[in-house]
């Protein structure tokens, strides 16, 4: 009964759900759950309308170099994304009134991305998350996302579908309730718990339902920080084990008494980036700073709220250095025609300037804007990772 699921994809998913249920019964998996005391249902909203101001305390800045990106644009509806691995029937779908393609998580399943490379010691991970659950009084299934260092195993190994430990790992558990929810953080070194933050009940969880909630993770050696929808949920200085290198992002959806069509948990727009050098350091040392962390609506210049952390870091530097002047240069990938992309890049640079002027009071005469369209790529446009790297904003000291 998911309000957001496209009718065509409902038909595809209905058959898949039956297959999931049959396979789960054959494997003897337990679907017993406690009854949720909350009985109110939540009406799904069609899209994320969070204003940029709601991210006013957001200080997430993504990594410098795109390692991996996936938005499923080239993947067929009704199938698992190419190269991904799963022990269930999670598939790509469209959603009503929410752009793009989304991976719909099947209950009782684990999904591994197609990434094969190590993330390094300092990196960021981002993805978009949508909960669309038809609450009917029972406990909804727990959703888990996390990272694992697979060690000698391949990052997409079937072994990781059975247990997500490897050399080290960490994960966030989210238990959605009708009017609230709980979340917790755990990390392991092999099979020994390394860090635990007990489950916390918070009404903010219900604000993630029925729309896009952006998840952002920073890892700097042992330190892990996690934000959802602009709120920093965790900042653990010794949150993950020192040894080993993370190389896989995984998602897991537990079982529940609900029918599969009543549970909508969707993920998309995955981005993993290496290196976490602060913008301040880039600008002061190199005279320029390039970021893929300022995001826009597809084919438009409207800035997405999760861009606030990067913009704020640039604004802070301008406020502290009153003599500093910046050129803001927009760049696009090669999707679309040259003329349209050139205009779009100019409009996006101007939108960044407007935020700096109107929100932070930066004098407009300290900022120049330019657009270079698709003309100066820094990566081949033949993959989503390459196109993501090319969709960037450049700040140049002048």
């Amino acid at each position: 009964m998911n309000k957001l699921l496209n009718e065509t994809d409902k038909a595809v998913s209905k058959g898949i759900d039956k297959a999931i249920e049959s396979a789960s019964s054959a494997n003897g998996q337990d679907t017993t759950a406690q009854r949720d005391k909350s009985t109110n249902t939540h009406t799904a909203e069609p899209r994320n309308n969070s204003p940029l101001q709601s991210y006013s305390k957001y200080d997430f800045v993504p990594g410098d170099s795109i390692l991996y990106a996936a938005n499923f644009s080239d993947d067929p509806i009704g199938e698992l994304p190419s190269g991904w691995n799963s022990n269930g029937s999670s598939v790509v779908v469209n959603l009503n009134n929410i752009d793009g393609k989304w991976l719909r998580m099947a209950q009782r399943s684990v999904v591994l991305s197609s990434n094969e490379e190590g993330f390094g010691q300092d990196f960021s991970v981002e993805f978009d998350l949508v909960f669309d659950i038809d609450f009917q009084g029972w406990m909804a299934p727990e959703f888990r996302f996390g990272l694992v260092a697979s060690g000698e195993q391949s990052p997409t190994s079937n072994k990781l579908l059975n247990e997500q430990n490897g050399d080290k790992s960490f994960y966030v558990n989210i238990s959605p309730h009708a009017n609230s929810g709980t979340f917790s953080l755990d990390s392991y070194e092999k099979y020994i718990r390394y860090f635990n933050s007990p489950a916390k009940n918070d009404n903010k969880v219900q604000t993630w339902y029925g729309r896009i909630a952006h998840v952002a993770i920073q890892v700097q050696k042992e330190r892990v920080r996690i934000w959802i929808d602009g709120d920093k949920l965790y900042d653990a200085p010794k949150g993950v084990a020192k040894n080993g290198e993370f190389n896989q992002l995984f998602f897991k959806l537990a079982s529940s008494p609900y029918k599969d069509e009543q549970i909508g948990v969707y993920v998309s727009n995955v981005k993993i980036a290496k290196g976490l050098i602060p913008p301040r350091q880039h600008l002061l040392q190199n005279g320029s700073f390039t970021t893929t962390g300022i995001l826009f609506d597809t084919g438009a210049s409207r800035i997405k709220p999760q861009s606030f952390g990067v913009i704020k870091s640039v604004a802070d530097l301008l406020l502290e250095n009153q003599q500093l002047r910046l050129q803001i240069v927009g760049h696009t990938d090669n999707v679309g025609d040259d003329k349209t992309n050139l205009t779009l890049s100019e409009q996006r640079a101007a939108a960044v300037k407007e935020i700096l002027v109107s929100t932070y009071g930066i004098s407009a005469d300290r900022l120049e804007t330019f657009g270079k369209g698709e003309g100066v790529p820094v990566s081949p446009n033949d993959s989503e990772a390459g196109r993501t790297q090319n969709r960037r904003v450049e700040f140049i000291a002048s």
Side-chain angles (χ1 to χ4, degrees):
M1 196 180 296
N2 299 77
K3 299 179 181 65
L4 298 181
L5 186 60
N6 182 281
E7 291 297 330
T8 301
D9 300 320
K10 286 181 183 179
V12 174
S13 298
K14 186 174 182 180
I16 292 168
D17 293 336
K18 289 181 179 178
I20 297 169
E21 184 175 355
S22 175
S24 299
S25 299
N27 291 330
Q29 292 181 340
D30 183 12
T31 59
T32 302
Q34 294 180 339
R35 193 167 181 83
D36 186 354
K37 294 180 180 179
S38 300
T39 58
N40 294 336
T41 59
H42 180 83
T43 301
E45 297 175 3
R47 61 185 297 123
N48 188 351
N49 292 316
S50 297
L52 193 61
Q53 286 75 14
S54 69
Y55 279 65
S56 60
K57 296 182 180 179
Y58 192 52
D59 56 352
F60 169 80
V61 176
D64 310 309
S65 177
I66 300 297
L67 172 68
Y68 179 83
N71 64 5
F72 316 131
S73 59
D74 297 326
D75 292 295
I77 297 297
E79 296 185 12
L80 187 73
S82 177
W84 289 51
N85 197 7
S86 178
N87 58 2
S89 292
S90 300
V91 297
V92 174
V93 299
N94 290 126
L95 298 179
N96 290 328
N97 302 317
I98 295 183
D99 293 335
K101 292 182 177 180
W102 295 78
L103 176 65
R104 184 190 183 202
M105 291 292 301
Q107 291 193 84
R108 304 168 292 276
S109 71
V110 175
V111 176
L112 307 173
S113 82
S114 59
N115 177 70
E116 297 279 357
E117 297 185 48
F119 299 168
Q121 294 300 306
D122 301 325
F123 61 89
S124 64
V125 176
E126 298 174 78
F127 62 91
D128 287 334
L129 171 66
V130 173
F131 285 113
D132 184 30
I133 300 172
D134 182 19
F135 288 105
Q136 294 293 329
W138 296 94
M139 289 289 289
E142 182 179 78
F143 173 65
R144 176 181 296 183
F145 64 85
L147 305 181
V148 61
S150 66
E152 296 181 357
Q153 297 289 325
S154 165
T156 57
S157 168
N158 287 338
K159 182 179 179 181
L160 292 179
L161 296 174
N162 298 321
E163 49 85 16
Q164 299 79 50
N165 289 88
D167 286 349
K168 65 179 179 180
S169 62
F170 77 86
Y171 56 80
V172 173
N173 279 328
I174 302 174
S175 296
H177 308 154
N179 296 315
S180 64
T182 61
F183 50 83
S184 62
L185 172 65
D186 288 273
S187 73
Y188 285 81
E189 188 168 25
K190 295 188 183 296
Y191 295 91
I192 300 173
R193 177 179 276 175
Y194 187 84
F195 177 85
N196 167 253
S197 179
K200 178 182 179 181
N201 188 62
D202 199 314
N203 291 336
K204 76 176 65 171
V205 176
Q206 69 171 323
T207 69
W208 305 339
Y209 302 162
R211 62 182 184 84
I212 297 172
H214 189 70
V215 178
I217 303 168
Q218 277 185 349
V219 176
Q220 292 175 289
K221 299 177 176 61
E222 296 174 271
R223 184 177 186 177
V224 60
R225 287 177 281 193
I226 300 169
W227 297 257
I228 297 184
D229 217 28
D231 292 317
K232 186 184 288 183
L233 304 188
Y234 297 104
D235 188 348
K238 299 287 185 180
V240 296
K242 183 183 298 184
N243 296 323
E245 182 180 10
F246 288 113
N247 58 4
Q248 186 55 283
L249 166 68
F250 69 88
F251 304 101
K252 182 176 183 178
L253 187 61
S255 62
S256 78
Y258 286 100
K259 295 178 181 179
D260 290 296
E261 59 264 28
Q262 293 177 295
I263 301 298
V265 178
Y266 310 93
V267 296
S268 190
N269 301 316
V270 176
K271 184 172 76 171
I272 302 172
K274 284 186 173 183
L276 292 172
I277 300 174
R280 174 194 306 273
Q281 186 174 335
H282 272 295
L283 278 167
L284 294 180
Q285 291 184 355
N286 305 319
S288 65
F289 165 60
T290 301
T291 179
T292 61
I294 300 179
L295 306 177
F296 303 85
D297 285 352
T298 302
S301 60
R302 181 179 181 274
I303 297 175
K304 293 187 176 183
Q306 54 264 38
S307 310
F308 202 100
V310 177
I311 296 174
K312 182 177 183 299
S313 68
V314 174
D316 288 343
L317 183 61
L318 285 164
L319 290 170
E320 293 171 8
N321 297 267
Q322 292 294 325
Q323 303 307 311
L324 179 63
R325 302 170 63 91
L326 291 179
Q327 295 178 352
I328 305 171
V329 186
H331 299 267
T332 71
D333 58 27
N334 70 344
V335 178
D337 63 77
D338 295 359
K339 184 177 180 180
T340 299
N341 284 335
L342 179 60
T343 300
L344 181 61
S345 66
E346 293 169 347
Q347 292 172 340
R348 287 177 169 179
V352 174
K353 175 179 177 178
E354 172 59 25
I355 291 289
L356 289 170
V357 172
S358 63
T359 302
Y360 293 100
I362 306 300
S363 177
D365 62 10
R366 297 173 62 191
L367 305 170
E368 288 184 278
T369 63
F370 302 90
K372 295 190 176 181
E374 62 187 72
V376 191
V378 292
S379 184
N381 279 294
D382 56 2
S383 69
E384 182 55 31
R387 291 189 290 273
T388 300
Q389 188 72 59
N390 289 330
R391 295 192 297 265
R392 67 196 192 275
V393 176
E394 186 178 10
F395 298 90
I396 304 170
S398 60

